[in-house]
Amino acid sequence: ADRKKLHTAPVGQVFRLRPFHVLVATGGGYAGYRKYEDYKLEQLEKRGIEVPVKLASEWEVALYKSVPTRLLSRAWGRLNQVELPTWLRKPVYSLYIWTFGVNMKEAAVEDLHHYRNLSEFFRRKLKPQARPVCCLHSVISPSDGKILNFGQVKNCEVEQVKGVTYSLESFLGPRISTEELHFSQAPPGNSFQQQLVTKEGNELYHCVIYLAPGDYHCFHSPTDWRVSHRRHFPGSLMSVNPGVARWIKELFCHNERVVLTGDWKHGFFSLTAVGATNVGSIRIYFDQDLHTNSPRYSKGSYNDFSFISNNNKEGIPMRKGEHLGEFNLGSTIVLIFEAPKDFKFHLKAGQKIRFGEALGSL
């Protein structure tokens, strides 16, 4: 008589699946499968076996985009801000150091207890002597990382990795007004690439640097130049590791990115910070109005901001090696710039490079 009644819900209600849950489960599972495929490709490359290019289909890209990477990146960012107890800091950071091969001997502060949260640890500063800036070459590496590709821009297409390209105009967006960048007006019939080249006899060059999670996360000015304009593209936050870059055409055009454009002594110069999974936060030190990975955005939209004003006709002057910005975790830097035809890169595709080392010179 004292038994309690047990009320059970219908089976259909207990196991009811919602579209969002299906997308997360399917997309997450497929992303995991792609990670495994990337790992196999990396092993083949280490053995010197050339891997044929196999691009993702539209449905595969759409499925990958269904994973809520923007939401996960914002959650990761908030988690990074949580202050860790002093006793927990060393085990957590030591695990990260072991996993990604971080060299803490280069850090300005080697004591792991100094970093209150993961965000401070990711953005750790280096000792002044850890990254000497090369003065002999005109363009240096703005960050630590791996060289994915470099060379001349041809037919308005840029290689993100060997054999996989993206549109120059889609990546940079519509050309900025010539008055703002101090450029002469190009003939209207010219291609987008030709419009960026301001001096006769010059060519357009590019360089792609991938920052792994264990790399130094700040980036610096690669040369002496003036930043005139910032264009922010909200977008997806898919992984930008070399395996995914080899798989998804125009990956950098899909992802959120901040394009800084201006000029140097040879003409047009641009530096683009590309966001990635868990890298919703891209910070430019002199741009306090920039806010990346906002909850709402319009697909295909972009926001422009000019550093040229009535009180400042020159924009933001940057010296070679000067601090420019930072990522919350590893990501990608893309340089696109104009230079004379005798400009030479001092690089090999796939090589590791550190901030301050030479990229190329005349």
Side-chain angles (χ1 to χ4, degrees):
D2 295 331
R3 290 179 182 175
K4 295 181 179 179
K5 294 182 179 180
L6 178 64
H7 296 277
T8 58
V11 174
Q13 292 183 10
V14 174
F15 295 101
R16 182 171 56 189
L17 295 176
R18 299 183 180 182
F20 176 76
H21 299 152
V22 174
L23 286 174
V24 171
T26 307
Y30 192 74
Y33 166 74
R34 287 306 314 172
K35 287 286 187 182
Y36 174 68
E37 291 293 312
D38 295 342
Y39 172 76
K40 291 198 299 183
L41 290 176
E42 288 178 4
Q43 297 305 308
L44 291 175
E45 287 182 344
K46 288 180 179 179
R47 292 161 56 186
I49 301 175
E50 188 172 347
V51 181
V53 175
K54 182 181 179 182
L55 295 177
S57 62
E58 291 186 6
W59 73 265
E60 287 178 310
V61 176
L63 185 59
Y64 190 1
K65 283 186 172 182
S66 70
V67 181
T69 52
R70 293 179 63 84
L71 177 62
L72 293 173
S73 296
R74 286 195 296 274
W76 175 252
R78 291 182 180 179
L79 179 63
N80 288 349
Q81 299 294 332
V82 176
E83 184 170 343
L84 297 176
T86 305
W87 61 269
L88 188 59
R89 293 174 189 176
K90 189 172 183 178
V92 170
Y93 301 146
S94 296
L95 177 61
Y96 186 90
I97 291 168
W98 177 79
T99 303
F100 296 108
V102 178
N103 184 3
M104 284 302 294
K105 292 183 179 179
E106 299 177 330
V109 180
E110 297 184 38
D111 182 10
L112 298 180
H113 296 100
H114 169 80
Y115 303 100
R116 295 174 297 177
N117 51 48
L118 284 167
S119 181
E120 287 189 1
F121 179 72
F122 293 146
R123 296 181 288 107
R124 64 193 176 277
K125 304 300 181 184
L126 298 181
K127 294 174 181 175
Q129 67 274 20
R131 296 290 187 276
V133 175
C134 177
C135 299
L136 300 177
H137 300 275
S138 53
V139 182
I140 63 169
S141 176
S143 65
D144 289 5
K146 178 182 180 180
I147 301 295
L148 294 189
N149 215 302
F150 63 93
Q152 286 190 14
V153 177
K154 298 179 180 179
N155 302 320
C156 296
E157 291 281 324
V158 185
E159 282 193 319
Q160 57 192 29
V161 293
K162 185 177 180 180
V164 182
T165 63
Y166 56 94
S167 163
L168 179 64
E169 186 169 8
S170 298
F171 182 69
L172 296 178
R175 188 164 180 251
I176 302 160
S177 65
T178 53
E179 295 81 4
E180 189 172 330
L181 294 180
H182 312 291
F183 292 166
S184 58
Q185 182 66 48
N190 285 3
S191 67
F192 182 81
Q193 177 179 337
Q194 292 171 326
Q195 291 178 27
L196 295 180
V197 178
T198 64
K199 297 180 181 180
E200 187 176 353
N202 281 3
E203 297 288 346
L204 205 62
Y205 298 86
H206 74 98
C207 183
V208 183
I209 305 171
Y210 167 69
L211 288 74
D215 287 328
Y216 169 54
H217 295 156
C218 296
F219 50 94
H220 301 246
S221 177
T223 191
D224 296 335
W225 64 307
R226 297 178 300 175
V227 183
S228 303
H229 188 273
R230 179 259 291 163
R231 176 169 284 163
H232 171 216
F233 288 86
S236 302
L237 287 174
M238 294 183 284
S239 172
V240 292
N241 74 54
V244 177
R246 187 184 296 109
W247 179 54
I248 297 180
K249 182 179 175 63
E250 298 205 332
L251 170 65
F252 299 156
C253 297
H254 290 295
N255 271 18
E256 181 155 7
R257 59 198 182 278
V258 176
V259 182
L260 300 178
T261 52
D263 61 296
W264 70 319
K265 60 183 178 181
H266 299 297
F268 174 81
F269 199 96
S270 73
L271 180 149
T272 302
V274 183
T277 307
N278 294 336
V279 194
S281 174
I282 301 172
R283 182 184 174 193
I284 304 298
Y285 294 138
F286 57 76
D287 189 354
Q288 302 302 318
D289 296 323
L290 175 65
H291 301 285
T292 57
N293 195 12
S294 58
R296 295 182 181 181
Y297 73 99
S298 299
K299 185 178 180 181
S301 66
Y302 59 85
N303 304 305
D304 282 338
F305 184 85
S306 174
F307 300 109
I308 302 295
S309 64
N310 293 331
N311 298 326
N312 181 10
K313 299 293 186 181
E314 300 299 321
I316 308 295
M318 297 297 301
R319 305 297 297 176
K320 183 164 63 173
E322 186 178 352
H323 277 83
L324 182 55
E326 63 187 36
F327 291 111
N328 193 42
L329 202 59
S331 192
T332 298
I333 295 286
V334 179
L335 301 179
I336 299 175
F337 57 93
E338 173 186 0
K341 290 183 178 180
D342 57 351
F343 181 87
K344 300 294 183 182
F345 283 102
H346 305 288
L347 302 171
K348 292 182 180 179
Q351 78 171 72
K352 291 289 290 182
I353 198 166
R354 304 203 303 178
F355 155 62
E357 295 179 346
L359 286 185
S361 61
L362 296 170

